[in-house]
Amino acid sequence: MKSKITITEIADKCGVSVSTVSRVLNNSPSVSPKKRALIQQIIDEYNYTPSVFARGMVNHKTKNIGVILPDITNPYFASLFLQIESFALKNMYATILFNTMFARNPDKYDTPLSEEDYFKIILEKQVDGVLILGGQIDKDDVPENFIHALNQLHKSVPVVIVGSRIDGCECLFVERNSRQGVTSIVNHFIALGHERIGFVGGEPGIRITSSRIEAFKQTMKAYHHDVNDSYIVTSDYYAPDGYSAMNQLLDQNSGKLPTAIIAINDMVALGAIRAMKDRGLDCPSDIAIASCDQFPHSDYSIPRLTSMDLHNEYLGRMAVMQLISAINGSEEAISINHMPELIIRESCGATRR
Amino acid sequence: MKSKITITEIADKCGVSVSTVSRVLNNSPSVSPKKRALIQQIIDEYNYTPSVFARGMVNHKTKNIGVILPDITNPYFASLFLQIESFALKNMYATILFNTMFARNPDKYDTPLSEEDYFKIILEKQVDGVLILGGQIDKDDVPENFIHALNQLHKSVPVVIVGSRIDGCECLFVERNSRQGVTSIVNHFIALGHERIGFVGGEPGIRITSSRIEAFKQTMKAYHHDVNDSYIVTSDYYAPDGYSAMNQLLDQNSGKLPTAIIAINDMVALGAIRAMKDRGLDCPSDIAIASCDQFPHSDYSIPRLTSMDLHNEYLGRMAVMQLISAINGSEEAISINHMPELIIRESCGATRR
DNA sequence: TTGTAGGCGTTATCAG
DNA sequence: CTGATAACGCCTACAA
C-alpha cells in the first residue's frame, strides 16, 4: 500500500551517495563517524528498511528457512517447532511452515499435495535452507524416488533432516537414539515385578515404531521374558489410535492379559487408558502404562502419566543450528547425545502404596 | 549452492526473446501455440522457476503472508493455523509463522521481543499480508501504542485480526460471538438442575475471559440465580492453570461448593478435574464440568469432556479469505456467523444414569 | 573515505 | 504476435 522509501532517497536526503548509505547499512568500517551518524539518523527517522527483493537479487538470500512437518497439531512437532522458530529468529531467520498432513488426509484438508510437491513449492520460495521433521523419511523403507527428490532439493539448498540417517541420502541428519527410552521403561516395569508386558500404538512401517518395538523385544529377551506377539498392537500416534489398539489388544488376549503396557507416546497412552476404563479395567491396578514420549500436561491426566522426557526442545535447537551452519557453508555434523529421562508418575503403578 | 537458470538462458535456448518467455510464464494469451509449446517444454526440461527476487522487484509481492500468534503449542491456535496454511497454500501463499509467546516467557525462550518487534521483523520480510491471532489485541484495554503500531503496520500491508473489533484500530477484523457458547452451557447446567455454578480459568483482563464471565453472569441472572463471586476464579488457559484455579475455588468455598463448573477451555477443564480428584472429589458426581472451547481428543479423557465445539477451523478459513481478498484490493468485511455446538459427554453428568 | 557505474532477473511499455 | 528496452532497489568493484 504505502510505497517504501529507497536507498537513493535516503542518500539524497543526506547529501551522500548510495554507496555510503549502503556501507552504513552493512556496517562497513570505512565511513566517517560524522556521516555515519547522520545517515543512521535519517534512516531511523524515515523508518527505512532495505528491500529484500533488491538485496536478494545480488546475494541470493531470503533469510527464510522452510520447515516441513506432518502435523503442527501434534504436540511433538509443535514443541519442536517452537524451539526451531525461536532459535532461527535469534539468527535473523524467519520460518515458513508447511504441514504435509494435508497430503495424508485428503478428505479433511483438500490439498492433494505430496511431500515432493512441497519441495517444489519450497524451492520456488527461495528459502535459504530446509528442515524436515517426520513424514516419508521416517518410513522403514523410504521410497527410492523420495530419496531422489530429497537429494535433488539438497543440491539447491541445504536440507537438514531430523531422523535416522538413510543410505543414499546426501542431506544432513540430526539423529538421536530412539531406543534408550524404551529400554528404561522395560527396566522399570520389570523392576516393578511385571513379566507380561505389551506395546500399543505407532504406525507400522515407520522407523520410530519399528525401532521402539524392536528395542522392547530385545530388552525383554535380555531378561529372558517372553514377548507375546499378540501383546503388540500398532495403529498410529494419536489418542483414538491408542484407544483402538488397546481394544484390539484386550480382545485378542482375553485369557491372560498383560499386566503392563508401553505406549508409543502420551496421546496413545491416554487413549489406551480410556479403552481400559470403558471395559471396567483400572490403570494402573489392572494394567500399568508408561509412554515413550512425553507431551505437555501429562501431569494432569487421570491417572498421571509415567513417561519418558526425550528433551525434544533440545532436538529442535540442534536441528536449526545444524541448518544455519550448513547455510553458512560448514558441513560438519553436529552429534547429539542427550539422555532421555524417565518421569515416574501414577500410570505405571510405582507410586501406589 | 547450484546456480539457477534464468529467463534469458531459456529465451536463448528457444531462440526467442525474454518477453515471449515471460508471456508464457504469466500465460498471456498472445503467444503462438507453437512457440508456447516449445518454450514450456524447455522450461520443464531445465526445471526453471522464475526468481522471486526479480519478480518482487517489479510487482512488490512475495506471495508470503505472516501469521502472528502467541503459542502454536496451544491446540486452539494449532488447529486454526492448520486451516490457515491449507487455504493460503491453495491460493499460492506460503505462511511465515511467528510465536510471540517468547515475549511472554523470557525465561524459557530467551528472545526478548515484543509484539511490536515482530511487526517490524514481519515488515522487513515484505509479506503481502499479516494475520494476527490473539495476543495483545485480546486485552480488555489494548494499549494505545499497540493500536498505533497496528495501524502503522496496516498502512504498509493489509492486516487481519481474529478477535473483537477495537475502537481506533483500522485493521480488518474477523470476529465471532464468544458468548453464545457460555450461554448454552449455563442453559444445559440449569436444565440439569444445577443452581450453584462456578467458572474457572482464563487470564483476567483478556477479552475472551471477560466476555465469557460476563455472559455467564448475565445468563445466570436471567434465571434469577445468584452468582457467587468466589465461584469465579481466573488464572490462564492451560492445564496447570485449571488446576490452580480449581484448588483456589475449592479452598475459598469449603462451606458450600458449587455443583457445576464452567471451564474456559478443555485444558483448563482437565486441570480442574485433576485438582478435584486430588482432593477426593469426583467429576461429575460431586461437581460437574463443561468447557467453553473444545480441543482435540476431549473424547478420550477421564471423564470425557462436555464442551462447546466452536468450529475454530471455520474461523481460520474465514480469516485467510478475508486477508487474501484484502491483498487483492477488496475492503469489504466478511461477517462470520457460525453456531457453536454443545457436545455432551460425561463431565457434565448428563449421561450418568 | 567517498562516489560512479554495472549488473542481478523480471515485467511492462512501446514499437514493429 | 514478437522483440527491444527501461525500470525495480541494492551491492560491489573500481576509481578518485
Side-chain angles (χ1 to χ4, degrees):
Chain A
M1 335 211 5
K2 193 180 61 180
S3 58
K4 291 188 50 170
I5 190 170
T6 78
I7 196 175
T8 325
E9 305 178 63
I10 297 287
D12 286 351
K13 292 188 195 303
C14 298
V16 299
S17 75
V18 290
S19 18
T20 309
V21 179
S22 176
R23 287 191 186 93
V24 352
L25 245 30
N26 304 287
N27 41 59
S28 140
S30 49
V31 177
S32 77
K34 189 169 279 174
K35 290 203 172 175
R36 178 187 298 278
L38 169 67
I39 295 173
Q40 189 59 55
Q41 185 202 319
I42 300 290
I43 286 180
D44 291 343
E45 177 178 339
Y46 286 86
N47 215 293
Y48 161 78
T49 49
S51 149
V52 292
F53 304 118
R55 274 213 163 143
M57 289 240 43
V58 15
N59 59 215
H60 303 285
K61 292 259 173 287
T62 48
K63 279 287 178 180
N64 283 158
I65 62 177
V67 178
I68 305 184
L69 47 78
D71 176 15
I72 190 66
T73 266
N74 182 321
Y76 168 75
F77 293 116
S79 57
L80 230 51
F81 180 80
L82 218 47
Q83 294 301 130
I84 289 172
E85 196 228 303
S86 159
F87 200 84
L89 210 54
K90 217 172 299 175
N91 290 271
M92 310 289 282
Y93 285 93
T95 29
I96 302 187
L97 178 54
F98 294 91
N99 281 272
T100 52
M101 73 130 44
F102 308 130
R104 283 186 59 193
N105 281 25
D107 22 312
K108 200 166 174 190
Y109 307 91
D110 47 329
T111 320
L113 294 175
S114 69
E115 282 183 65
E116 283 95 330
D117 290 331
Y118 279 92
F119 291 173
K120 205 173 160 196
I121 296 176
I122 224 171
L123 208 48
E124 289 173 8
K125 285 298 169 188
Q126 241 108 99
V127 295
D128 296 347
V130 177
L131 223 45
I132 299 182
L133 320 178
Q136 297 238 41
I137 13 137
D138 276 345
K139 286 188 176 167
D140 285 334
D141 299 299
V142 188
E144 206 46 65
N145 63 328
F146 185 70
I147 297 184
H148 180 72
L150 236 25
N151 287 337
Q152 209 57 33
L153 181 62
H154 189 60
K155 275 197 190 113
S156 337
V157 22
V159 176
V160 170
I161 298 176
V162 174
S164 359
R165 176 159 283 101
I166 296 165
D167 286 339
C169 182
E170 294 142 17
C171 306
L172 275 35
F173 284 84
V174 172
E175 47 184 348
R176 187 175 48 175
N177 186 334
S178 55
R179 315 167 57 114
Q180 293 176 318
V182 189
T183 310
S184 309
I185 295 181
V186 177
N187 288 340
H188 180 60
F189 273 152
I190 287 187
L192 251 33
H194 292 283
E195 295 184 354
R196 298 203 307 281
I197 305 179
F199 188 104
V200 294
E203 196 182 347
I206 298 293
R207 289 178 161 214
I208 347 103
T209 310
S210 316
S211 72
R212 282 185 181 154
I213 290 179
E214 200 195 331
F216 163 53
K217 284 181 174 172
Q218 271 184 17
T219 317
M220 287 296 277
K221 190 166 290 167
Y223 284 106
H224 304 294
H225 281 317
D226 278 342
V227 277
N228 186 334
D229 269 346
S230 68
Y231 278 4
I232 299 178
V233 182
T234 54
S235 53
D236 211 321
Y237 302 98
Y238 297 84
D241 310 307
Y243 190 81
S244 60
M246 190 55 153
N247 268 324
Q248 188 185 328
L249 190 152
L250 261 21
D251 281 340
Q252 54 192 212
N253 294 285
S254 45
K256 27 145 202 38
L257 289 178
T259 60
I261 294 277
I262 301 171
I264 196 121
N265 68 30
D266 276 14
M267 293 189 293
V268 165
L270 254 21
I273 292 173
R274 185 67 243 192
M276 287 175 55
K277 174 88 172 179
D278 285 351
R279 293 178 168 227
L281 259 27
D282 179 70
C283 172
S285 63
D286 291 315
I287 301 180
I289 290 193
S291 125
C292 305
D293 201 348
Q294 184 182 49
F295 290 162
H297 306 325
S298 39
D299 200 19
Y300 294 89
S301 59
I302 296 177
R304 292 181 163 90
L305 261 27
T306 288
S307 33
M308 299 298 310
D309 182 350
L310 264 28
H311 304 292
N312 291 328
E313 335 77 52
Y314 187 71
L315 186 61
R317 249 191 168 65
M318 287 301 106
V320 225
M321 283 181 57
Q322 177 75 275
L323 182 61
I324 293 182
S325 73
I327 291 175
N328 295 331
S330 147
E331 279 291 312
E332 79 179 291
I334 294 175
S335 83
I336 150 172
N337 211 341
H338 225 230
M339 261 314 193
E341 216 175 318
L342 177 64
I343 313 287
I344 298 177
R345 285 188 279 250
E346 300 170 350
S347 69
C348 63
T351 54
R352 66 185 154 178
R353 75 218 131 79
Chain B
M1 333 212 5
K2 193 180 59 179
S3 58
K4 292 189 48 169
I5 190 171
T6 78
I7 196 174
T8 324
E9 305 180 63
I10 297 286
D12 285 351
K13 291 189 197 302
C14 298
V16 299
S17 76
V18 291
S19 340
T20 309
V21 179
S22 178
R23 287 194 185 92
V24 352
L25 246 30
N26 304 287
N27 42 59
S28 143
S30 49
V31 178
S32 76
K34 191 167 276 173
K35 288 201 174 174
R36 177 186 299 279
L38 170 66
I39 296 172
Q40 189 58 56
Q41 185 203 319
I42 300 289
I43 287 180
D44 291 342
E45 178 179 339
Y46 287 85
N47 215 292
Y48 161 78
T49 48
S51 149
V52 293
F53 304 117
R55 276 213 162 142
M57 288 239 45
V58 16
N59 58 216
H60 304 286
K61 292 260 173 290
T62 48
K63 280 287 177 179
N64 284 158
I65 62 177
V67 178
I68 305 185
L69 47 78
D71 177 15
I72 190 64
T73 267
N74 183 320
Y76 168 75
F77 293 116
S79 56
L80 229 52
F81 180 80
L82 220 45
Q83 294 300 131
I84 290 173
E85 196 226 303
S86 159
F87 199 83
L89 211 52
K90 216 172 300 177
N91 290 271
M92 310 290 283
Y93 286 93
T95 28
I96 302 187
L97 178 54
F98 294 91
N99 281 273
T100 52
M101 75 136 36
F102 309 130
R104 285 187 57 194
N105 281 24
D107 23 311
K108 199 165 174 192
Y109 307 90
D110 47 330
T111 320
L113 294 175
S114 70
E115 283 183 65
E116 283 96 328
D117 291 331
Y118 280 92
F119 292 173
K120 207 174 159 194
I121 296 177
I122 223 171
L123 208 48
E124 290 173 7
K125 284 300 168 187
Q126 240 107 101
V127 294
D128 296 346
V130 177
L131 222 45
I132 300 182
L133 319 179
Q136 297 237 44
I137 13 137
D138 275 344
K139 286 187 176 166
D140 284 335
D141 298 300
V142 187
E144 206 45 66
N145 62 329
F146 185 70
I147 297 185
H148 179 71
L150 237 23
N151 287 335
Q152 208 57 34
L153 181 62
H154 188 61
K155 277 199 189 110
S156 338
V157 21
V159 176
V160 169
I161 298 177
V162 174
S164 0
R165 175 159 282 104
I166 297 164
D167 285 341
C169 182
E170 295 142 15
C171 305
L172 275 35
F173 285 85
V174 171
E175 49 184 346
R176 188 175 47 178
N177 186 335
S178 55
R179 314 167 57 114
Q180 292 176 317
V182 189
T183 310
S184 309
I185 294 181
V186 177
N187 288 340
H188 180 61
F189 274 152
I190 288 187
L192 252 32
H194 293 283
E195 295 183 356
R196 299 202 306 279
I197 305 179
F199 188 104
V200 295
E203 197 182 347
I206 298 292
R207 290 180 158 211
I208 345 103
T209 310
S210 316
S211 72
R212 282 185 181 156
I213 289 179
E214 202 196 330
F216 163 54
K217 285 180 174 171
Q218 271 185 17
T219 317
M220 288 294 279
K221 189 167 292 168
Y223 283 106
H224 304 294
H225 281 315
D226 278 343
V227 278
N228 186 336
D229 269 345
S230 68
Y231 280 2
I232 300 179
V233 182
T234 54
S235 52
D236 210 323
Y237 301 98
Y238 297 85
D241 310 307
Y243 190 80
S244 60
M246 190 55 154
N247 268 325
Q248 187 185 329
L249 189 151
L250 261 20
D251 281 341
Q252 52 192 214
N253 292 285
S254 45
K256 27 143 202 38
L257 289 177
T259 61
I261 295 277
I262 301 172
I264 195 120
N265 67 30
D266 276 13
M267 293 190 293
V268 166
L270 255 21
I273 292 172
R274 184 67 244 190
M276 287 175 55
K277 174 89 170 179
D278 285 352
R279 292 175 169 232
L281 258 27
D282 179 72
C283 172
S285 62
D286 291 315
I287 301 179
I289 290 193
S291 126
C292 305
D293 201 348
Q294 185 183 46
F295 290 163
H297 308 323
S298 41
D299 200 20
Y300 293 90
S301 58
I302 295 176
R304 291 182 163 91
L305 259 30
T306 287
S307 34
M308 298 299 308
D309 182 351
L310 263 27
H311 303 293
N312 291 329
E313 335 77 54
Y314 187 72
L315 185 60
R317 248 189 168 65
M318 286 302 106
V320 225
M321 283 181 57
Q322 177 74 275
L323 182 60
I324 292 182
S325 72
I327 291 175
N328 296 331
S330 148
E331 280 290 314
E332 79 180 288
I334 293 176
S335 83
I336 149 171
N337 211 340
H338 225 231
M339 261 314 192
E341 214 175 319
L342 177 64
I343 313 287
I344 298 177
R345 285 190 278 251
E346 300 171 349
S347 68
C348 64
T351 53
R352 67 183 155 178
R353 73 219 133 80

